[in-house]
């Protein structure tokens, strides 16, 4: 913990020209003394902020530099450290949400944090959630509680609720009526509430406006896929509908036009859309293609079977395992050799 003896002196209304803050006419930052400004910056530095972080905060929330250091700023930073946020993670949280430092610790942040701890979440998951979306500490806890209850009513297990809240907290911060519509939509799509894919689908449906969803369906249909096939892909891998149009087009073009595989190959393994095309999909597909050409693998080998394994497992199974008969596989994988 850091505790600084910080007496404030506003006797010199100086605002250093070297510290670029965009001020609105009503902002009273010009009352700040250069000495006070330096003390605020020192406080931030003590918690791992660099000059870029500090300048960002000054631009986004200049009035923070007027706050009392001992009673307003320091307790919030100490709080984040006390709940387990590493010192390297504190600047990331504040830079993404500078207004958190202006929230009431006693009336807003602590009650919200205590509520989150009451959910089926571990301490580590709560810290992960706060780190990913610190705005959840400023949200209406009743709204989240009602959304958790809605999930429990349809049979979503605690483990899935923990997964959704800790990794995608923005989903459960939605208006209760809208969240219920998302749940109903996912149930209509025949997802099983007992499976993790249910909350993964809820997250995608919550975050994807209908016009965006319809447009992405049309992108898939450009490659000859039907509505049912697109829905089948979504049921297998809900995250495939979160991929950008550019990524979808690039992956589909590679698989269909360059690899000469049928679109159904992607539908059977839609997880392919989530992987990095250049660094993972292309080199692995090149290895599998050569193995097929040489008769070591059957045609239409499942994409998921060789894209999902770790690099070590892929290399052991598909490269090193054939090094005596196909020594060039290592060069094909590293893309030093073009098929």
């Amino acid at each position: 913990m850091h505790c600084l003896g910080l007496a404030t002196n506003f006797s010199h209304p100086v605002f250093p020209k070297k510290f670029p803050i965009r001020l609105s006419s009503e902002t009273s930052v010009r009352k700040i003394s250069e000495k006070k400004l330096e003390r605020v910056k020192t406080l931030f530095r003590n918690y791992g902020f660099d000059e870029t972080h500090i300048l960002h905060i000054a631009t986004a929330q200049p009035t923070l530099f007027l706050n009392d250091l001992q009673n307003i700023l320091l307790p919030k930073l100490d709080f984040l450290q006390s709940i387990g946020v590493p010192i390297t993670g504190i600047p990331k949280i504040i830079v993404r949400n500078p207004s958190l430092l202006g929230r009431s610790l006693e009336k807003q942040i602590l009650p919200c944090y205590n509520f989150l701890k009451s959910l089926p979440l571990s301490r580590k998951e709560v810290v992960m959630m706060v780190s990913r979306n610190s705005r959840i500490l400023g949200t209406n806890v009743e709204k989240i509680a009602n959304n958790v209850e809605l999930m429990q009513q349809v049979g979503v297990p605690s483990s899935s609720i923990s997964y959704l809240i800790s990794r995608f907290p923005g989903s459960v911060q939605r208006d209760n009526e809208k969240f219920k519509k998302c749940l109903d939509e996912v149930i209509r799509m025949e997802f099983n509430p007992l499976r993790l894919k249910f909350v993964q689908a809820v997250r995608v449906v919550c975050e994807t406006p209908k016009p965006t969803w319809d447009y992405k369906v049309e992108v898939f249909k450009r490659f000859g896929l039907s509505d049912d096939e697109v829905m089948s892909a979504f049921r297998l891998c809900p995250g495939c509908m979160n991929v950008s149009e550019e990524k979808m087009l690039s992956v589909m073009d590679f698989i269909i036009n360059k690899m000469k595989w049928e679109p159904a190959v992607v539908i059977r393994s839609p997880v392919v859309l989530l992987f990095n095309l250049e660094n993972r999909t292309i080199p692995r597909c090149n290895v599998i293609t050569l193995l097929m050409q040489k008769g070591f693998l059957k045609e239409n080998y499942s994409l998921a079977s060789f894209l999902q394994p770790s690099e070590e497992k892929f290399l052991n199974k598909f490269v090193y395992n054939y090094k005596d008969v196909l020594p060039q596989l290592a060069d094909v994988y590293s893309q030093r050799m073009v098929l």
Side-chain angles (χ1 to χ4, degrees), residues 72-284:
I72 303 297
L73 298 181
L74 182 60
K76 316 295 175 44
L77 298 171
D78 274 348
F79 164 77
L80 291 173
Q81 193 174 32
S82 71
I83 66 173
V85 177
I87 195 72
T88 55
I90 293 176
K92 296 177 183 177
I93 289 176
I94 301 302
V95 165
R96 284 198 294 263
N97 182 23
S99 64
L100 182 65
L101 291 178
R103 292 276 187 171
S104 170
L105 183 61
E106 292 75 19
K107 295 180 180 180
Q108 175 64 53
I109 297 175
L110 279 175
C112 195
Y113 174 71
N114 289 332
F115 167 75
L116 295 175
K117 287 198 304 179
S118 72
L119 297 175
L121 296 171
S122 67
R123 179 186 174 92
K124 183 178 180 181
E125 287 174 322
V126 173
V127 172
M128 181 195 306
M129 175 170 47
V130 171
S131 298
R132 289 184 173 180
N133 184 1
S134 60
R135 286 179 173 79
I136 201 164
L137 290 175
T139 194
N140 183 329
V141 294
E142 184 178 352
K143 182 189 297 182
I144 300 177
N146 289 338
N147 287 337
V148 169
E149 185 177 352
L150 286 171
M151 287 189 282
Q152 293 172 333
Q153 288 174 356
V154 298
V156 178
S158 295
S159 58
S160 294
I161 294 174
S162 298
Y163 172 90
L164 181 64
I165 297 176
S166 61
R167 289 165 176 77
F168 310 105
S171 298
V172 293
Q173 290 176 268
R174 296 179 179 275
D175 175 81
N176 299 142
E177 185 177 345
K178 292 181 180 178
F179 188 78
K180 186 179 187 307
K181 287 182 179 179
C182 292
L183 285 179
D184 292 341
E185 179 68 11
V186 172
I187 291 172
R188 187 188 65 78
M189 293 174 174
E190 299 181 358
F191 280 88
N192 184 347
L194 297 176
R195 304 291 297 275
L196 183 62
K197 280 189 175 69
F198 182 88
V199 292
Q200 291 174 339
V202 168
R203 174 235 171 173
V204 174
V205 171
C206 281
E207 295 179 357
T208 309
K210 190 175 187 308
T212 303
W213 176 279
D214 292 341
Y215 182 73
K216 289 185 175 182
V217 170
E218 290 303 315
V219 172
F220 278 118
K221 291 170 73 172
R222 293 180 202 172
F223 295 91
L225 301 174
S226 66
D227 289 304
D228 287 342
E229 287 174 319
V230 175
M231 183 54 64
S232 175
F234 180 62
R235 290 195 188 100
L236 287 173
C237 178
C240 73
M241 290 299 283
N242 252 10
V243 176
S244 68
E245 177 194 4
E246 181 181 6
K247 177 86 176 284
M248 291 167 66
L249 290 172
S250 297
V251 173
M252 295 293 286
D253 178 68
F254 172 75
I255 297 296
I256 297 169
N257 297 325
K258 293 192 172 58
M259 299 303 297
K260 306 301 181 183
W261 291 348
E262 294 296 321
V265 172
V266 177
I267 296 305
R268 289 196 296 268
S269 302
V271 69
V272 64
L273 294 164
L274 307 185
F275 296 126
N276 185 287
L277 181 62
E278 298 295 332
N279 298 332
R280 190 182 189 108
T281 303
I282 291 177
R284 293 192 182 195

Side-chain angles (χ1 to χ4, degrees), residues 33-56:
S33 70
E34 186 173 357
K35 191 175 182 180
K36 167 70 180 297
L37 175 63
E38 190 54 41
R39 285 178 174 174
V40 176
K41 292 169 71 174
T42 298
L43 174 64
F44 283 134
R45 293 187 191 110
N46 288 342
Y47 280 85
F49 293 74
D50 61 27
E51 296 307 308
T52 302
H53 296 143
I54 296 172
L55 289 176
H56 175 85

